[in-house]
Amino acid sequence: MLVYFVRHGETTHNLARKKQHAHTQLTELGQKQAQVVAARLKSLPIEAVYTSHYDRAVSTAEAISQTLNLPQPTILENLHE
C-alpha cells in the first residue's frame, strides 16, 4: 500500500504567520493550490482520501476527492499535529 501525504493549501494565518486553529479557511490561492495538487494526483492509483477535521485540510481533501471522482474524504479525528 502506498500512502501520499498532502499539506493543505494556503490560509490567511499562513500569510500572517499566526498559529492556526481548527477553523482556519483556505485563501483563494489555497483553493487553487488544492486544485493543482488534485490534478497532479489524478494519474496515481488513489482509492481513498483521509483528512483531519481541520477546515483547511477538509477543503483540500474535498478538492482532491472531487477531482479523482472518489467518495467524500474520511475524516479522522486523531489525524492532526
Side-chain angles (χ1 to χ4, degrees):
M1 172 189 352
L2 289 174
V3 177
Y4 299 94
F5 290 91
V6 174
R7 188 170 192 276
H8 60 79
E10 178 189 80
T11 68
T12 53
H13 281 60
N14 289 142
L15 291 174
R17 298 191 183 277
K18 289 183 180 179
K19 182 177 178 178
Q20 301 190 68
H21 52 77
H23 302 295
T24 305
Q25 301 293 318
L26 295 180
T27 62
E28 188 175 322
L29 175 59
Q31 293 169 359
K32 289 177 184 175
Q33 290 170 331
Q35 292 297 324
V36 168
V37 75
R40 289 183 179 176
L41 294 171
K42 205 166 185 175
S43 65
L44 299 173
I46 296 174
E47 298 175 9
V49 177
Y50 298 89
T51 184
S52 74
H53 65 281
Y54 293 170
D55 291 349
R56 60 191 178 271
V58 171
S59 294
T60 303
E62 286 175 342
I64 293 168
S65 290
Q66 289 172 2
T67 300
L68 302 181
N69 296 315
L70 293 171
Q72 286 291 318
T74 300
I75 296 174
L76 302 176
E77 293 294 329
N78 293 325
L79 184 62
H80 56 81
E81 298 96 355

